[in-house]
Amino acid sequence: MIKLSGTSRIEEQKLRQPIVVVMGHVDHGKTTLLDKIRGTSVAKREPGEITQHVGASVVPSRVIEQLAEPLKKIIPVKLKIPGLLFIDTPGHELFMNMRRIGGAISDFSILVVDIIEGFKEQTVESLQLLRARKVPFLVAANKIDKIPGWKPYPNEAFINSYAKQSQRTKELLDERIYHLMGELGRYGFNSDRFDRIKDFTRTVSIVPVSAKTGEGIPELLAMLAGLSQQYLKDRLIFTSGNAKGVVLEVKEMPGLGNTIDVIIYDGILRKGDTIVLGSAEGPIVTKVRNLLMPKPLQEIRSPEDKFLSVDEVVAAVGVKIVAPDLDNAVAGTQLYVANTPEEIEDAKNKILEELSKIKIKTDKSGVVAKADTLGTLDALVEALKRNNIPVRIADIGNITKRDVVEASISKQDDETLGVILGFNVKVMPDAKEEAEKLNVKIMLNNIIYKLLEDYFNWKEEVKRLEKIKEMENLVWPAKFRIIPGFVFRRSDPVIVGIEVLGGILKPGSPLMDEAGRKLGILQQIQDKGQSLKEAKPGMQVAISVKGNIMVGRQINEGDIIYTDVPDLHARTFLTKFKGDISDDVKMVLDEIIKIKRKSDPLYAFV
Ligand SMILES: Nc1nc2c(ncn2[C@@H]2O[C@H](COP(=O)(O)OP(=O)(O)OP(=O)(O)O)[C@@H](O)[C@H]2O)c(=O)[nH]1
């Protein structure tokens, strides 16, 4: 007989498997740890028992109890939960944001931290998500085999292996644990090594493990099972009503069409049930044609023979659903079984509400956020909000021409908002063309914090360029002297040789004398026949000045001349660009202010 974890003896079953999600920084060992855990359950599988689900793996309680045998003092309880269901793909953005009504689908989480590296960006991000979603967690302090001097004892319980290490190695490990405790404390979490904790409701457990050697895996599983059974009882009570779940993935399967991989977190799902779920266009109502579970590896006869058709599954389970009309289904959406017209109506409303909450058009001006699933979109929008980045449009799917047009509207208000941020999506060819035409920036990344980092770097660069442009448009303070004997033309335009004494002299600047009398506009600066964009102190150049002036009348050889900086420009230098101008420019500006205030006491008043 084939026993599906979670589907046998429905009536007697009281608690379902807790759903466990592994989180943590890239390369800290999430995948390796999951592989080790999966390997453990496959190795100790009973004939016919299915531990591999669709998108998830189950470690039966029988296996956990067997592993925890040497740890009786730490985990005294007999397990009542049927096992632990691990979501197979690590990646917190999606799974932490797949929500069931009133919380995350994850019942418990493992935060993997490389014991050598300590906390990193995604560790902190994960902690923030865990706190926001109120998900209980423990810390797997991974890679203990890398502690200097560590002697590995494969698949041993940590406490046994630890006891056999040298004093120095024990101390080094303890130091790293204290360090982790400090880091957790910084984010408001009390924590300790699991075997030193008295009150598990107030203290986060740190379990030292090696995903490579398997050391500590017995404790990790025992702690997960013990803690979730003890503290999440109400949440784990099995109900035999209509199934509720979340869609992990939408997949096209040869011969089956579009199928959905679903984690059912509550109730029973049967062949023939009507299900309601979300698509980018609205709720989908369809009927379950088939339910598929992976066959145990040993029983697969051919590549097409990977699945086993079952009549029903009960929570918690990962299952593949075959049904018509799933083409536009989106990952991350809720799924409800609804078998009466009232239930269907109710489920459709819930889906609509969920979709409208996430597909937001909030801020009038803001960035465009696109993601592949509802869960990732939700996570992206939340991260943007947390960083005070306004969002004009958030939607699921690839980046289209319409998104570019929307971004270009925001760009008119604020250059730094004319941008599209895409998480795990593609850019459609016409969108790419339009983006080039409208000069809209598109950023793609599959890690949220990197996407935000890219955005902030780009924003800084845009601001810097804007500043340069704005500064270029100002009349700069400058002071120069007409060199005696270097008058090339007396009027219309005046052409003379000068020496810059201070500030930065640029073409287009209006000029004045030391008494503040206007002297026309500086047209060109030349040096050895070359036009210059600016001249700095010490340079001797030729300039042409247009206006109603003549050498010998308004100006003379040897005169000191200043640029006539408009009031608004002077004030801009003194405020916005205060930190960007040199002392020399500031000194010349002070002289100009003195001259100007003789006729206008409020000039450059800030
Ligand atoms: N020595 C040692 N190496 C480990 C351990 N766990 C993982 N590694 C190594 O660390 C590297 C990263 O491990 P992964 O499991 O890919 O890390 P991850 O967190 O899943 O990374 P992403 O999936 O890329 O986010 C790999 O080279 C692993 O072999 C461990 O306990 N000890």
Side-chain angles (χ1 to χ4, degrees):
M1 194 192 78
I2 286 171
K3 278 195 284 170
L4 287 184
S5 320
T7 59
S8 59
R9 290 174 287 132
I10 289 168
E11 274 67 42
E12 298 150 47
Q13 211 169 32
K14 289 268 169 40
L15 300 177
R16 64 167 175 82
Q17 301 101 323
I19 299 170
V20 183
V21 172
V22 178
M23 304 167 76
H25 193 72
V26 57
D27 279 351
H28 279 195
K30 301 180 292 291
T31 308
T32 314
L33 184 66
L34 270 166
D35 283 348
K36 197 67 174 179
I37 290 171
R38 225 184 342 241
T40 308
S41 68
V42 168
K44 298 189 187 279
R45 196 176 65 89
E46 281 187 344
E49 186 177 44
I50 290 188
T51 54
Q52 187 59 49
H53 287 208
V54 174
S57 314
V58 163
V59 182
S61 282
R62 182 183 54 73
V63 173
I64 301 170
E65 279 168 359
Q66 207 181 320
L67 289 172
E69 189 58 29
L71 309 164
K72 271 202 188 112
K73 270 197 225 114
I74 304 165
I75 324 281
V77 285
K78 176 114 181 67
L79 292 180
K80 293 194 197 82
I81 50 167
L84 295 166
L85 182 131
F86 289 87
I87 302 280
D88 271 348
T89 325
H92 60 274
E93 276 95 3
L94 181 56
F95 301 112
M96 284 309 290
N97 285 285
M98 287 192 159
R99 311 225 193 140
R100 48 189 275 161
I101 315 135
I105 61 153
S106 167
D107 297 307
F108 215 99
S109 187
I110 304 176
L111 180 61
V112 179
V113 187
D114 182 327
I115 197 164
I116 310 290
E117 281 201 346
F119 270 43
K120 289 278 174 169
E121 292 95 330
Q122 279 169 304
T123 322
V124 175
E125 224 176 72
S126 304
L127 262 188
Q128 283 167 343
L129 268 172
L130 288 166
R131 190 169 15 210
R133 301 275 181 273
K134 299 192 171 63
V135 178
F137 67 99
L138 55 73
V139 172
N142 192 28
K143 309 199 186 181
I144 52 169
D145 59 289
K146 284 171 85 174
I147 301 267
W150 188 268
K151 283 208 207 74
Y153 296 91
N155 303 322
E156 277 269 1
F158 163 76
I159 43 170
N160 294 346
S161 179
Y162 180 75
K164 291 182 249 181
Q165 304 298 326
S166 73
Q167 193 53 33
R168 179 71 193 130
T169 300
K170 282 183 188 167
E171 277 166 18
L172 286 173
L173 180 115
D174 284 341
E175 263 170 37
R176 301 308 306 161
I177 301 278
Y178 283 127
H179 188 73
L180 283 184
M181 285 164 62
E183 302 241 48
L184 281 154
R186 277 199 7 229
Y187 295 94
F189 293 99
N190 253 329
S191 65
D192 209 339
R193 210 174 87 183
F194 71 101
D195 51 331
R196 295 170 181 156
I197 297 177
K198 298 222 164 50
D199 182 354
F200 287 100
T201 56
R202 288 162 189 269
T203 316
V204 172
S205 313
I206 300 177
V207 185
V209 297
S210 164
K212 194 171 164 192
T213 67
E215 286 161 295
I217 299 291
E219 281 102 330
L220 186 73
L221 292 172
M223 289 300 293
L224 281 169
L227 289 177
S228 44
Q229 173 167 305
Q230 197 153 352
Y231 299 109
L232 299 173
K233 223 177 251 156
D234 293 346
R235 196 179 150 106
L236 299 178
I237 287 176
F238 174 77
T239 61
S240 54
N242 283 347
K244 298 190 188 84
V246 282
V247 176
L248 279 185
E249 242 184 289
V250 183
K251 269 191 203 154
E252 207 181 323
M253 302 284 292
L256 295 176
N258 277 308
T259 66
I260 44 174
D261 294 355
V262 177
I263 296 290
I264 300 292
Y265 59 78
D266 194 15
I268 305 179
L269 177 67
R270 299 184 174 89
K271 254 190 215 170
D273 272 345
T274 300
I275 49 172
V276 184
L277 65 153
S279 80
E281 284 78 40
I284 299 173
V285 181
T286 183
K287 243 183 175 47
V288 176
R289 198 176 276 165
N290 206 352
L291 295 171
L292 301 177
M293 294 291 290
K295 264 191 186 167
L297 267 180
Q298 298 85 328
E299 289 158 32
I300 294 176
R301 310 263 172 269
S302 70
E304 295 81 46
D305 178 44
K306 278 195 296 212
F307 291 101
L308 186 77
S309 171
V310 295
D311 290 335
E312 67 172 41
V313 287
V314 309
V317 64
V319 63
K320 184 181 279 297
I321 299 179
V322 185
D325 305 325
L326 291 176
D327 307 16
N328 295 320
V330 282
T333 169
Q334 292 278 335
L335 175 141
Y336 300 100
V337 164
N339 284 323
T340 66
E342 294 79 40
E343 282 173 1
I344 293 176
E345 212 40 46
D346 186 42
K348 275 166 79 175
N349 286 336
K350 281 190 192 138
I351 296 284
L352 276 174
E353 198 187 318
E354 176 195 23
L355 290 171
S356 66
K357 234 189 267 163
I358 300 173
K359 290 172 65 174
I360 42 155
K361 288 191 188 194
T362 42
D363 307 299
K364 196 172 144 281
S365 229
V367 303
V368 174
K370 300 286 302 240
D372 56 337
T373 72
L374 274 175
T376 45
L377 183 66
D378 200 8
L380 176 58
V381 169
E382 254 185 56
L384 291 169
K385 292 244 152 107
R386 236 189 351 254
N387 285 281
N388 297 320
I389 303 169
V391 180
R392 182 179 159 83
I393 282 188
D395 209 347
I396 305 156
N398 288 331
I399 295 168
T400 63
K401 195 168 161 182
R402 199 196 63 136
D403 296 325
V404 177
V405 174
E406 291 287 351
S408 73
I409 297 171
S410 293
K411 191 180 154 94
Q412 287 164 10
D413 290 344
D414 181 344
E415 180 80 24
T416 66
L417 295 177
V419 59
I420 302 172
L421 302 173
F423 181 94
N424 217 9
V425 292
K426 293 196 186 78
V427 184
M428 304 305 278
D430 59 342
K432 204 167 167 196
E433 247 170 54
E434 192 73 7
E436 271 160 25
K437 206 164 83 195
L438 298 176
N439 198 16
V440 164
K441 179 85 181 160
I442 297 178
M443 284 171 211
L444 304 174
N445 211 312
N446 293 353
I447 298 174
I448 288 190
Y449 86 85
K450 288 224 173 107
L451 199 53
L452 292 190
E453 216 171 75
D454 288 350
Y455 173 71
F456 282 122
N457 287 340
W458 172 80
K459 183 173 168 177
E460 217 165 85
E461 182 61 16
V462 170
K463 290 248 176 230
R464 199 180 64 82
L465 292 177
E466 265 178 5
K467 201 167 175 179
I468 289 174
K469 215 157 136 193
E470 198 179 337
M471 286 176 99
E472 268 172 6
N473 286 331
L474 294 174
V475 172
W476 279 68
K479 172 186 182 182
F480 61 86
R481 184 173 67 101
I482 302 174
I483 306 169
F486 283 86
V487 175
F488 306 113
R489 201 174 155 143
R490 293 192 167 269
S491 70
D492 200 23
V494 167
I495 299 177
V496 287
I498 61 138
E499 180 184 0
V500 181
L501 303 175
I504 299 178
L505 188 64
K506 298 186 180 209
S509 304
L511 304 174
M512 65 177 183
D513 64 13
E514 283 178 292
R517 283 185 293 257
K518 294 188 184 303
L519 295 175
I521 309 280
L522 188 156
Q523 273 200 305
Q524 266 201 54
I525 305 174
Q526 282 205 350
D527 185 28
K528 300 181 191 90
Q530 295 275 336
S531 274
L532 301 185
K533 282 202 179 126
E534 58 177 43
K536 291 191 168 161
M539 287 172 72
Q540 295 194 340
V541 291
I543 61 166
S544 59
V545 182
K546 203 154 188 204
N548 203 10
I549 55 163
M550 197 183 252
V551 181
R553 291 240 181 109
Q554 292 87 352
I555 51 173
N556 287 298
E557 296 179 25
D559 275 2
I560 302 283
I561 294 178
Y562 289 90
T563 50
D564 185 1
V565 179
D567 178 37
L568 182 65
H569 296 206
R571 273 189 276 143
T572 308
F573 279 116
L574 291 175
T575 52
K576 198 167 172 182
F577 300 135
K578 198 173 160 196
D580 300 296
I581 54 174
S582 66
D583 287 349
D584 167 61
V585 170
K586 175 78 175 53
M587 225 160 65
V588 177
L589 181 59
D590 284 343
E591 289 177 29
I592 292 172
I593 291 172
K594 251 189 221 141
I595 296 170
K596 296 291 283 186
R597 283 201 180 152
K598 281 182 193 149
S599 59
D600 175 5
L602 289 179
Y603 175 86
F605 203 82
V606 288

